[in-house]
């Protein structure tokens, strides 16, 4: 489409018309040969005339490399010969897609909720039935097909609050501060939407880590907020450093109004687990600098490294005393998609807000009401995640089995985390920090200058070129580091550690061989 | 909170600070007695310093009256004596909450998808198993707990396309033009987000009917778009009139750039069903005036009135010939929440786009990728809705039963639609159009001047005052017409016709008595 190619070159103008290749109506086109007499108005909605903020959105985790991976899968199905027989999608933290099995108890309860006639079936354990009955009783018409309240089903919010209290050693949690959501992404975008305003130098600035999970940069582009990058310290296991936070903040104050600090702990894509001290420093910094804290804690159960432990921002905040716990505004996010259950497809999640202005809370409830409610099956699943089978429930042996499933998943992940670090660090030109938590590794890769030049020649960023070659040659789909952000002149990729151990070993070996081959080719 | 009350009086300033009642930190407050020496910065996020677009959002269907209804329910539970024993929430189209039972076959398949061990269970019909197996095979790792592609599972999009082709008498539908969504609301907001841009007089204007479903006004406020009202003709059964469309458009051209025309057919809250002629006129108008058409067709199966029939915008568009079908840009929306199944809690839905610029499609896919995927259980449910049990499948008797459930639901709704119109029109001061389709009635109510004055005295819009009194006196929760928009000086309420017939009769009788009492009180 020539016209729209030229439109793209002109970039976004916000002009409310376009001149793309629409056929079949009167046309009025300025061609490169001048007016050609055919008059038409083209499409209403074109690249030229669409929302420029949407154009600025990028989301690497499902970007062009993944689209190419899907295409290659189709080609394989159609019998096209390749140097490999399957595409391994290590681009996304999707446990079930990697063969992990769902927790039996959770799915039994969901089946009972979906088709309550099964409540009469003796094959289902009594505990599962009790849970299903409790959830159904909290639903309109006792059906998960009814809308829930927009904030989420009340008894599930109570269970979430109890879960948080238990996690945080008794620090109280109020169900009124819990908002169920469509995955964590939904809640993160909602809070950002409340916070972003102002024009020009008054525009809200939001501090995000680099590397970051690209939901953040995408949401900020969409909202037209100013993205403030603070860099994690790769040489110190991707740790967060207050000096760097302060540098980034001071620089940003020149051109925007920084109001928000986003933290991902355990880190995505970087896999680090923050120390208690670091969290305390961050909270102190947020208070001093008058920043709203957003704590993305969806990997709170995914901690593997010796000596590492998850500390929730809320717990640390409250342990710092009323001077902090009564003043620092915060939202913490959690999800059913990660941890040991990995139930991504259900889109369950919640956030807890702390010290949120009561008037803003009313606005938040109004805002979430517009979308009616989070998916009820996801809410039901979340209820089971925060309130898993307890020892005092009647069918305890069965529950033990469920808990064994959970433990097995987590210990296997810990093993894979170690394996990944070990093997990558045997490859000259790959440097891999320990995967302390979450489910990704983000190793640095050294690329020869000739490869960088070749990439530029092809119009690709160098690590995209690297990942595309890996995909074409070995059928392994990774995400280039540039999709998450990295220091100028450094290159990385993100890989999930979720593939089954045997397959992961093959993947690591193949990447090793590819890297050596690639390096040699461009030396 | 005195400080924030004063903040509210000042209105939205977009200033990035607030001075609400935060305790426990250094304070710098300008009190009404001047500087009092206590210095503090207050909260980061206050009514004053939040996104002003969010503040402008209103969503009456779950507004203050519903919050009061929930409160009254709690009071009843706590034993507070009221003139009624239960609150009837006729404010929302939530079929299951009103006692409608889910379609057995759908829920069997969902249970099988949730807990595939049931595939071994002889109690489940073979058809249900086959469907579940097909859906599971299309899922990553054969689990509905895996993410799907962001556009939705491919075989489900194929089924949706086949459904549309069958509905539209063979007009082709391309699965690549189908986008699955988290209910219809999600897709509607996504398309609006692509379309809204520009500043000042170039800002995108979006035409919506008055009365409208408040998702539209809420989304437009959130996006900062210009809302262009066109009024439906109450005296002609809420029909849409091209002269009025043109009037609204011309007036709007003075101050914005109108680019989008939204239509709800069958109508919400007004229940009218558009004639084929009207749809043709609308399409011609959209083409002439260079508008993007958004057709909200979520009530396409809810048509009751003699002589009325649902015509999809797409079908009419294609029947008008290539001059239209190759040029008019359109998106049509559908959902699992309405029709005969009423599965609101699953948040399933889809949109079909027609003539969307390929480059914009790429942007759309990128945009939906950020939220990863629509809930997979909702996608599975949508698959069953668009591809219900067929006569040639093995357990046909069972399927017949499912189809009977469907027919029963729809014929009961038709009866309730007639009943509602009949009874309301016996009440002096209530004027009710036929409920031709959808699941609501939006009768006009005549309010005595004294009641209007009393409402103003209380700071309420008159029909909110009316509905609040009805709620307090009779426990019936309706939504005031002002939440949907209405002509100046007219008053209405929206009521769903979903309550079971016996209960609906009681509701209608109670509203009748209330209206007479209310009118007398203020005469």
């Amino acid at each position: 489409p020539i016209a729209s190619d030229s439109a793209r070159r002109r970039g976004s103008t916000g002009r409310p018309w376009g001149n793309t290749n629409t056929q079949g109506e009167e046309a009025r086109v300025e061609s490169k040969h001048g007016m050609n007499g055919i008059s038409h108005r083209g499409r209403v909605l074109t690249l030229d005339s669409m929302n420029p903020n949407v154009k600025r959105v990028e989301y690497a985790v499902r970007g062009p490399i993944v689209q190419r991976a899907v295409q290659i899968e189709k080609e394989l199905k159609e019998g096209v010969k390749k140097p490999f027989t399957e595409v391994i999608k290590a681009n996304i933290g999707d446990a079930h897609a990697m063969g992990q099995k769902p927790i039996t108890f959770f799915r039994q309860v969901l089946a009972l909720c979906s088709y309550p006639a099964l409540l009469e079936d003796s094959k289902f354990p009594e505990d599962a039935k009790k849970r299903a009955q409790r959830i159904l009783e909290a639903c309109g018409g006792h059906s998960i097909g009814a809308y829930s309240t927009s904030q989420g089903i009340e008894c599930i919010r109570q269970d979430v609050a109890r879960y948080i209290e238990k996690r945080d050693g008794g620090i109280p949690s109020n169900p009124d501060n819990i908002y169920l959501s469509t995955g964590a992404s939904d809640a993160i975008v909602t809070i950002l939407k409340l916070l972003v305003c102002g024009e020009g130098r008054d525009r809200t600035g939001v501090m995000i880590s680099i590397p970051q999970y690209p939901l953040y940069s995408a949401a900020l582009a969409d909202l037209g907020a100013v993205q403030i990058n603070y860099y994690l310290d790769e040489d110190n296991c991707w740790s967060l450093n207050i000096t760097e936070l302060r540098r980034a903040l001071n620089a940003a104050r020149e051109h925007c109004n920084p109001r928000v600090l986003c933290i991902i702990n355990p880190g995505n894509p970087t896999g680090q687990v923050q120390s208690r001290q670091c969290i305390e420093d961050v909270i102190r910094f947020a208070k001093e600098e008058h920043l709203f804290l957003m704590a993305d804690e969806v990997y709170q159960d995914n901690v593997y490294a010796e000596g590492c432990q998850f500390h929730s921002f809320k717990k640390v905040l409250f342990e710092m005393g009323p001077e902090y716990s009564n003043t620092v505004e915060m939202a913490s996010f959690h999800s059913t998609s990660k941890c040991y259950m990995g139930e991504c497809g259900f889109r369950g999640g919640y956030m807890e807000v702390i010290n949120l202005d009561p008037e803003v809370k009313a606005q938040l409830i109004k805002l979430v009401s517009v979308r009616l409610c989070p998916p009820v099956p996801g809410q039901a699943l979340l209820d089971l995640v925060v309130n898993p089978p307890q020892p005092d429930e009647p069918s305890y042996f069965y529950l033990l089995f469920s808990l064994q499933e959970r433990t097995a998943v987590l210990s296997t992940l810990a093993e894979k985390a170690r394996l990944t670090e070990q093997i990558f660090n045997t490859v000259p030109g790959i440097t891999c920090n320990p995967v302390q938590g979450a489910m990704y590794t983000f190793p640095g890769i050294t690329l020869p200058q000739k490869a960088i030049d070749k990439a530029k020649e092809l119009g690709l960023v160098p690590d995209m070129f690297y990942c595309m070659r890996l995909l074409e040659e070995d059928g392994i789909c990774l995400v280039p580091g540039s999709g998450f952000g990295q220091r100028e002149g450094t290159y990385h990729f993100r890989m999930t550690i979720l593939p089954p151990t045997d397959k992961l070993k093959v993947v690591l070996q193949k990447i090793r061989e590819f890297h050596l081959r690639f390096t040699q080719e461009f030396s």
Side-chain angles (χ1 to χ4, degrees), chain A:
Chain A
I2 291 164
S4 47
D5 273 342
S6 75
R8 190 169 39 215
R9 280 193 298 275
R10 286 195 309 276
S12 155
T13 62
R15 279 188 295 124
W17 63 86
N19 49 358
T20 60
N21 59 333
T22 307
Q23 311 112 8
E25 62 169 332
E26 282 189 304
R28 191 180 58 214
V29 170
E30 288 178 282
S31 76
K32 16 183 182 175
H33 315 289
M35 293 297 287
N36 61 7
I38 307 164
S39 90
H40 86 138
R41 290 180 296 184
R43 284 194 169 92
V44 177
L45 181 60
T46 66
L47 208 56
D48 247 24
S49 70
M50 69 177 279
N51 182 344
N53 284 350
V54 172
K55 256 186 289 191
R56 279 191 281 268
V57 165
E58 287 182 20
Y59 189 69
V61 175
R62 297 204 153 192
I65 195 152
V66 183
Q67 285 167 34
R68 178 65 190 134
V70 171
Q71 215 177 348
I72 291 177
E73 275 182 331
K74 276 195 183 166
E75 291 171 16
L76 284 173
K77 258 194 197 159
E78 288 159 6
V80 178
K81 284 274 169 286
K82 303 263 177 195
F84 48 87
T85 52
E86 66 160 338
V87 176
I88 298 172
K89 288 193 204 142
N91 59 297
I92 193 164
D94 189 352
H96 291 201
M98 286 294 173
Q100 185 182 308
K101 295 284 159 260
I103 301 287
T104 309
F105 182 82
F106 292 178
R107 294 307 195 87
Q108 287 177 327
V109 177
L110 287 168
L112 290 161
C113 288
S114 299
Y115 186 47
L118 294 172
L119 288 166
E120 308 297 318
D121 193 320
S122 57
K123 275 193 306 241
F124 283 82
E126 286 306 312
D127 312 71
K129 289 184 186 173
K130 253 174 125 173
R131 297 300 183 95
Q133 262 159 339
R134 179 161 171 271
I135 292 167
L136 288 170
E137 271 161 29
C139 291
H142 295 187
S143 167
I144 57 169
Y147 291 120
S148 77
T149 58
S150 303
Q151 199 175 345
I153 294 172
E154 191 170 359
C155 78
I156 299 181
R157 289 190 286 114
Q158 286 163 356
D159 287 347
V160 169
R162 265 190 292 268
Y163 161 82
I164 294 172
E165 284 181 2
K166 204 173 152 195
R167 181 196 71 188
D168 291 343
I171 291 163
S173 171
N174 183 345
D176 288 346
N177 289 338
I178 309 293
Y179 294 76
L180 307 192
S181 58
T182 308
S185 307
D186 171 40
I188 290 168
V189 172
T190 299
I191 285 293
L192 284 172
K193 185 176 276 177
L194 289 176
L195 279 156
V196 173
C197 60
E199 294 301 329
R201 282 192 56 169
D202 284 337
R203 192 71 182 157
T204 296
V206 178
M207 305 187 72
I208 63 172
S209 63
I210 297 295
Q212 53 117 14
Y213 174 57
L215 165 70
Y216 290 92
S217 51
L220 297 182
D222 183 358
L223 292 167
V226 178
Q227 175 178 325
I228 306 170
N229 296 337
Y230 65 89
Y231 290 86
L232 299 177
D233 186 354
E234 184 164 12
D235 296 336
N236 281 298
C237 213
W238 296 115
S239 64
L240 187 157
N241 175 313
I242 301 296
T243 316
E244 167 59 13
L245 275 185
R246 200 173 303 277
R247 178 209 60 76
L249 184 71
N250 289 338
R253 286 230 160 95
E254 307 281 314
H255 62 274
C256 70
N257 175 24
R259 302 177 69 201
V260 192
L261 171 55
C262 300
I263 307 277
I264 313 177
N265 178 51
N268 176 8
T270 38
Q272 84 285 10
V273 177
Q274 289 185 342
S275 68
R276 200 191 170 289
Q277 183 58 50
C278 174
I279 293 171
E280 210 176 302
D281 293 345
V282 168
I283 291 172
R284 199 168 288 119
F285 177 80
K287 179 170 165 56
E288 277 166 19
E289 302 296 346
H290 206 234
L291 299 170
F292 190 105
L293 254 180
M294 290 177 61
D296 182 339
E297 300 178 317
V298 300
Y299 298 101
Q300 57 190 262
D301 284 350
N302 295 94
V303 175
Y304 319 117
E306 205 71 42
C308 284
Q309 200 190 326
F310 171 74
H311 301 275
S312 80
F313 267 77
K314 175 168 178 212
K315 179 163 184 261
V316 177
L317 178 72
F318 276 71
E319 286 171 354
M320 288 169 75
E323 191 192 344
Y324 291 89
S325 65
N326 287 342
T327 61
V328 175
E329 295 155 73
M330 201 187 93
S332 159
F333 307 91
H334 198 14
S335 157
T336 59
S337 303
K338 309 299 167 184
C339 298
Y340 63 93
M341 56 284 177
E343 294 275 13
C344 313
F346 280 82
R347 315 306 300 118
Y350 77 79
M351 68 173 161
E352 182 183 27
V353 297
I354 313 287
N355 290 321
L356 194 65
D357 185 315
E359 290 181 315
V360 174
K361 262 191 209 176
Q363 296 286 328
L364 172 56
I365 288 177
K366 182 187 72 177
L367 184 61
V368 296
S369 296
V370 177
R371 293 296 187 92
L372 299 159
C373 70
V376 178
Q379 295 187 46
L381 180 63
L382 178 67
D383 191 46
L384 305 168
V385 168
V386 296
N387 185 18
Q390 297 305 311
D392 63 336
E393 292 188 76
S395 58
Y396 184 52
F397 288 113
Y398 185 77
L399 310 186
L400 259 188
F401 176 65
S402 282
L403 293 174
Q404 270 168 10
E405 290 178 275
R406 176 193 154 137
T407 311
V409 167
L410 288 177
S411 67
T412 308
L413 276 172
E415 189 198 324
K416 292 194 273 198
R418 277 189 299 274
L419 192 71
T420 301
E421 180 200 352
Q422 250 168 36
I423 296 188
F424 274 149
N425 282 328
T426 66
V427 189
I430 297 187
T431 324
C432 183
N433 271 318
V435 183
Q436 298 175 330
M439 37 182 72
Y440 315 99
T441 174
F442 196 71
I445 47 176
T446 309
L447 301 183
Q449 188 56 46
K450 279 189 191 159
I452 295 169
D453 296 343
K454 179 73 183 169
K456 280 183 186 152
E457 199 188 308
L458 296 168
L460 293 173
V461 289
D463 50 15
M464 175 64 94
F465 175 56
Y466 178 93
C467 289
M468 275 291 188
R469 284 284 297 266
L470 175 66
L471 175 63
E472 296 290 346
E473 293 176 19
D474 290 295
I476 296 169
C477 180
L478 306 178
V479 192
S482 47
F484 305 88
Q486 52 200 355
R487 281 198 186 272
E488 183 78 32
T490 69
Y491 303 106
H492 301 78
F493 58 76
R494 186 185 83 161
M495 185 188 90
T496 177
I497 60 167
L498 285 174
T501 310
D502 286 351
K503 194 175 262 185
L504 181 67
K505 282 183 185 161
V506 174
V507 168
L508 293 169
Q509 193 53 35
K510 278 187 162 189
I511 294 175
R512 182 193 153 87
E513 286 161 17
F514 167 79
H515 187 84
L516 298 172
R517 212 162 62 229
F518 183 89
T519 305
Q520 195 158 25
E521 181 182 341
F522 291 100
S523 284

